[in-house]
Amino acid sequence: MMVNVLVLDDDFYVGQIHCRYVDEVAGFHALEPVRDLPTARTVIAEQEVDLLLVDYVLPEGNGVDLIRETDVDAIVLSAVADADVVRSALRAGAMTYILKPFAAEELQDFLRRYARFRRYWEREKVSRTDLERQLRSLHDVASPGSAPVRGSGSSTSGRIYATLEGADRPLTALEVSEAVGISRATAQRHLAKLAESRAVTVSLQYGSTGRPEHLYGLG
């Protein structure tokens, strides 16, 4: 399922850049960016917003004010490095605080880990072990979900990643190839590279013939 992201930054140019970063991550869609709190509140009320990317300094207040009043996951993107401000953002419910300027990969890696974190909550009950692992991996830059999607062709790898993300179970290379519209050999090549970069997981399934078959998923 696509994650709709609303970017709130009073600098129009910066907001556009952050939207582009978001759209480059499979499974994420950036809504039209907004520059002030009133407009952000209107969009949240009228559209489906799953994640907020908010600046701290805004004309009518700050991004933490919006986080406090909404029930939407949020990330703060700000050049303000004051420790009290960072603490206030985290206390308000921000999932993380990324200091500007930052590389696209820093935000994109967190978005991929966040996507894994979101999928975890689709279950009815949680276990202590799984919950601890999910909380650690959300902020662990070395976790598998933080690996960029790589392949001989980024658009093909991105489509494969999006297919696995939208599936309700792990898929075989043949199923991936049919869903994406590529040959099985091409799918296997990209899946192997995605597995090597730890962007996807691989497991074995034994069929009726007794021969093992690789299944690919996102953990």
Side-chain angles (χ1 to χ4, degrees), residues 120 127-137:
Y120 177 74
S127 69
R128 175 179 296 180
T129 302
D130 285 345
L131 179 59
E132 290 176 349
R133 183 170 62 249
Q134 289 297 326
L135 291 172
R136 285 197 303 269
S137 66

Side-chain angles (χ1 to χ4, degrees), residues 31-132:
L31 302 172
E32 189 68 24
V34 296
R35 302 175 63 182
D36 56 70
L37 287 169
T39 305
R41 294 185 180 106
T42 299
V43 173
I44 292 171
E46 297 179 351
Q47 300 185 45
E48 183 178 347
V49 178
D50 302 305
L51 179 66
L52 296 170
L53 302 186
V54 302
D55 194 3
Y56 179 76
V57 178
L58 297 166
E60 310 85 0
N62 61 70
V64 174
D65 293 336
L66 183 64
I67 296 174
R68 287 196 182 99
E69 66 186 59
T70 60
D71 187 28
V72 180
D73 292 342
I75 299 171
V76 177
L77 310 176
S78 176
V80 178
D82 183 87
D84 288 337
V85 169
V86 176
R87 288 182 62 196
S88 70
L90 297 176
R91 283 198 302 265
M95 306 195 75
T96 192
Y97 192 110
I98 300 178
L99 285 170
K100 298 177 181 178
F102 56 85
E105 291 78 9
E106 185 174 356
L107 173 61
Q108 292 170 340
D109 286 353
F110 188 86
L111 292 179
R112 294 186 183 98
R113 298 195 300 274
Y114 170 74
R116 294 170 61 90
F117 189 71
R118 275 179 63 91
R119 286 193 296 274
Y120 177 74
W121 299 111
E122 294 174 0
R123 63 193 69 194
E124 293 184 2
K125 294 183 179 181
V126 301
S127 69
R128 175 179 296 180
T129 302
D130 285 345
L131 179 59
E132 290 176 349

Side-chain angles (χ1 to χ4, degrees), residues 146-179:
S146 67
V149 175
R150 299 185 180 93
S152 60
S154 60
S155 61
T156 300
S157 291
R159 282 154 52 208
I160 289 175
Y161 189 91
T163 297
L164 294 175
E165 191 168 40
D168 58 3
R169 60 176 177 79
L171 303 177
T172 66
L174 178 60
E175 290 172 324
V176 170
S177 68
E178 292 174 344

